[in-house]
Amino acid sequence: MQDIWDILPGLGDKLAAHVVLSASAIGLAMLIALPMAVWASRSAIVSRLALSLASLVQTIPALALLALFFPLLLSLRAVFGEGLPTLGFLPALMALTLYALLPILRNAVTAQANLDEGVLEAADGVGMTKWQKLVLVEAPLSAPFIMAGIRTASVWTIGAATLATTIGQPSLGDPIFAGLQTQNWALVLAGCVASAGLALAADNLLWVIEVGLAKRSRWMTFGGMAVVALGILAALWAQSTGSDERRIVIASKQFSEQYILAQLIGARLEAAGYAVEYRDGLGSAVVHSAVASSSIDISVDYTGTIWTNYLKRADNPGREAMYETIRDWEWRQNGVKVLGRLGFENAYAFAMRGDRAKELGVTSLTDLVGKAPQLTVGGDPEFFERPEWLAVRDAYGLRFGQSRNFAPTFMYNALASGEADVISAYTSDGRIAADKLVVLADPKGALPSYDALLMLSPRIAEDKGVIAALEPLLGAISVEAMREANLAVDREDAKKLTPKAAAAELGKSLRRPGLDPG
């Protein structure tokens, strides 16, 4: 396992993005919460309403709050135009700002409510205006308590910002999610250490400012503020130096194959002179919408996913007809160019341990019907909401005793440990052979084909340099080579590779010639 101390120095860009996002969310939350607290201190109704709404936001899981802004912003494009970002910084900023409101608002309202009445009467007695009283009396007395709320909000926000990875915003969540999917625990720990270190640093710097305000110490107050400002400016500078007009953003979904293919694509583009940025661990629907809107430039998708989820088709016209229909639909509907097929299929399939399948006498989904009520089926987090599962369930009348969600990497562990009897496996996964699993036949053809497709966003659909760099991948990756690469990342012994290393090995095994005429 790679030492986390070797990984940490490479997280500078993720750290910078995390700092900018967190600081922006906290700053915006302060701009909203502090005027609201002043208003609330003058009105009991406003106070109750504001605190209730802020508390309500806290009851929504941070991951769900982040995800909800994607469809919201997508719908707002009808008002603000297609240029409105639906992924990345804007939805993450909006969600984290709401998340940071409560501790700042609650502390500010409490501080205002507990101000010494005698001091306020004295301010009135010397003829201060409401503005003068607010700025010269109320604000200085409330400041230490407000800073305590800002400290709490900062720690919460820095922690929650790791989840912004799921909506395409670079953050310290990137190594955490990538490590979880590829079972690279050093990568997970490196992301956790960096995020925790940032939270502790922010908390201590804000504590210095809080103490400075309480003690009326200018050097502590302004010294702490200066260090915070320098940190934010350094993060902004680090992000600005990485900008590049030829930068290509490559997306990957939440399983090993996608991480590997993203690295393979990125390596070819870098060799052609393009700067590359990776957006890892995104949901399937997010990736498709992001490519269509050019928030993401390149992704690898699958014919069966597009056919069932976006074309809403339940029929199965055959591999070639499906591919041609999808290619034409993507171009007409979304302006997305399906450059071609990579040469292998990664279909959904139901798999069991060999010994368990033999014990139950199961070789196909038909055989499974009578046994299903006593069995547990496991799937990835989105599988049981996908049309493919509904099609299989209804075609065979499958009714399992229990269904459980697992991260794709952990589904196979669950099968091995007996936590699940059947899983929704991927046919290009090397662990099927390595774990001696039995893939159940689908005699009714309920599951469509899943040819891997290379998708280009409207922004780069006609970029000749990108097309020239990626065309050699078309038809060049065999399912055997993809299984070997996937297993290299997913295995847990000394032969385990990172997605980048596995992509390099996969690149050496490309079939020649590599062009897919389709």
Side-chain angles (χ1 to χ4, degrees), residues 288-459:
H288 189 266
S289 298
V291 172
S293 66
S294 292
S295 299
I296 296 291
D297 293 310
I298 300 174
S299 72
V300 173
D301 219 321
Y302 304 91
T303 51
T305 298
I306 297 171
W307 187 258
T308 57
N309 286 20
Y310 309 116
L311 273 72
K312 306 297 183 184
R313 297 280 292 269
D315 57 320
N316 192 346
R319 174 171 273 105
E320 291 302 319
M322 184 181 294
Y323 170 67
E324 292 298 336
T325 301
I326 288 171
R327 190 176 188 182
D328 179 63
W329 180 83
E330 286 286 4
W331 182 252
R332 287 187 296 100
Q333 186 75 16
N334 301 315
V336 171
K337 185 180 185 69
V338 179
L339 192 59
R341 291 171 284 192
L342 293 175
F344 71 94
E345 180 184 18
N346 183 9
Y348 270 118
F350 288 83
M352 299 180 69
R353 291 202 324 265
D355 59 339
R356 183 69 166 145
K358 185 176 181 180
E359 174 191 337
L360 296 175
V362 173
T363 60
S364 70
L365 291 174
T366 304
D367 299 333
L368 195 60
V369 174
K371 310 289 194 306
Q374 288 77 49
L375 303 179
T376 297
V377 61
D380 62 51
E382 62 183 59
F383 178 71
F384 295 110
E385 301 301 324
R386 290 175 65 103
E388 294 96 322
W389 160 245
L390 300 178
V392 170
R393 184 195 66 187
D394 295 343
Y396 291 94
L398 282 173
R399 297 294 184 270
F400 285 94
Q402 185 180 6
S403 60
R404 296 182 63 182
N405 289 319
F406 300 96
T409 300
F410 297 126
M411 282 196 304
Y412 294 86
N413 301 68
L415 198 60
S417 66
E419 293 291 320
D421 300 292
V422 186
I423 61 169
S424 59
Y426 311 120
T427 56
S428 64
D429 202 317
R431 286 171 295 185
I432 290 177
D435 295 349
K436 297 181 173 57
L437 304 183
V438 172
V439 175
L440 304 182
D442 174 20
K444 296 185 179 181
L447 290 167
S449 59
Y450 285 81
D451 290 323
L453 305 177
L454 193 52
M455 317 281 284
L456 306 184
S457 73
R459 186 178 82 88

Side-chain angles (χ1 to χ4, degrees), residues 29-54:
M30 290 169 61
L31 288 175
I32 297 171
L34 296 182
M36 192 179 294
V38 174
W39 187 18
S41 68
R42 271 65 169 169
S43 168
I45 295 175
V46 172
S47 177
R48 284 195 296 271
L49 183 61
L51 286 172
S52 296
L53 288 174

Side-chain angles (χ1 to χ4, degrees), residues 96-408:
L96 292 174
T97 297
L98 289 178
Y99 206 65
L101 276 177
L102 180 62
I104 301 174
L105 181 61
R106 178 173 286 165
N107 277 41
V109 169
T110 302
Q112 288 286 102
N114 288 281
L115 289 174
D116 190 324
E117 289 293 334
V119 174
L120 297 178
E121 289 175 4
D124 291 330
V126 298
M128 284 188 177
T129 63
K130 290 184 178 180
W131 175 252
Q132 288 174 324
K133 187 166 70 169
L134 175 64
V135 173
L136 300 176
V137 179
E138 295 179 26
L141 292 175
S142 301
F145 302 98
I146 295 172
M147 278 306 305
I150 293 172
R151 284 177 61 192
T152 301
S154 298
V155 173
W156 286 6
T157 302
I158 290 170
T162 58
L163 299 173
T165 292
T166 58
I167 55 169
Q169 169 60 26
S171 74
L172 290 171
D174 289 11
I176 295 173
F177 279 88
L180 285 171
Q181 297 305 326
T182 61
Q183 297 193 52
N184 186 336
W185 308 122
L187 204 56
V188 175
L189 286 172
C192 291
V193 167
S195 179
L198 177 60
L200 288 172
D203 185 54
N204 280 284
L205 283 172
L206 294 174
W207 172 80
V208 171
I209 299 172
E210 180 185 341
V211 173
L213 290 169
K215 294 183 175 181
R216 305 292 195 272
S217 172
R218 289 179 177 272
W219 75 267
M220 288 185 73
T221 301
F222 291 108
M225 290 180 177
V227 175
V228 170
L230 285 172
I232 295 171
L233 288 173
L236 286 168
W237 177 82
Q239 286 201 300
S240 66
T241 56
S243 61
D244 194 309
E245 289 184 1
R246 284 169 63 84
R247 182 176 298 276
I248 303 295
V249 182
I250 305 170
S252 64
K253 300 181 187 181
Q254 299 171 345
F255 51 99
S256 300
E257 179 172 293
Q258 288 275 313
Y259 289 100
I260 296 166
L261 292 173
Q263 290 290 333
L264 179 63
I265 293 165
R268 295 195 65 86
L269 290 173
E270 287 175 334
Y274 290 88
V276 170
E277 181 179 338
Y278 299 97
R279 300 287 175 85
D280 297 327
L282 303 180
S284 183
V286 170
V287 170
H288 189 266
S289 298
V291 172
S293 66
S294 292
S295 299
I296 296 291
D297 293 310
I298 300 174
S299 72
V300 173
D301 219 321
Y302 304 91
T303 51
T305 298
I306 297 171
W307 187 258
T308 57
N309 286 20
Y310 309 116
L311 273 72
K312 306 297 183 184
R313 297 280 292 269
D315 57 320
N316 192 346
R319 174 171 273 105
E320 291 302 319
M322 184 181 294
Y323 170 67
E324 292 298 336
T325 301
I326 288 171
R327 190 176 188 182
D328 179 63
W329 180 83
E330 286 286 4
W331 182 252
R332 287 187 296 100
Q333 186 75 16
N334 301 315
V336 171
K337 185 180 185 69
V338 179
L339 192 59
R341 291 171 284 192
L342 293 175
F344 71 94
E345 180 184 18
N346 183 9
Y348 270 118
F350 288 83
M352 299 180 69
R353 291 202 324 265
D355 59 339
R356 183 69 166 145
K358 185 176 181 180
E359 174 191 337
L360 296 175
V362 173
T363 60
S364 70
L365 291 174
T366 304
D367 299 333
L368 195 60
V369 174
K371 310 289 194 306
Q374 288 77 49
L375 303 179
T376 297
V377 61
D380 62 51
E382 62 183 59
F383 178 71
F384 295 110
E385 301 301 324
R386 290 175 65 103
E388 294 96 322
W389 160 245
L390 300 178
V392 170
R393 184 195 66 187
D394 295 343
Y396 291 94
L398 282 173
R399 297 294 184 270
F400 285 94
Q402 185 180 6
S403 60
R404 296 182 63 182
N405 289 319
F406 300 96

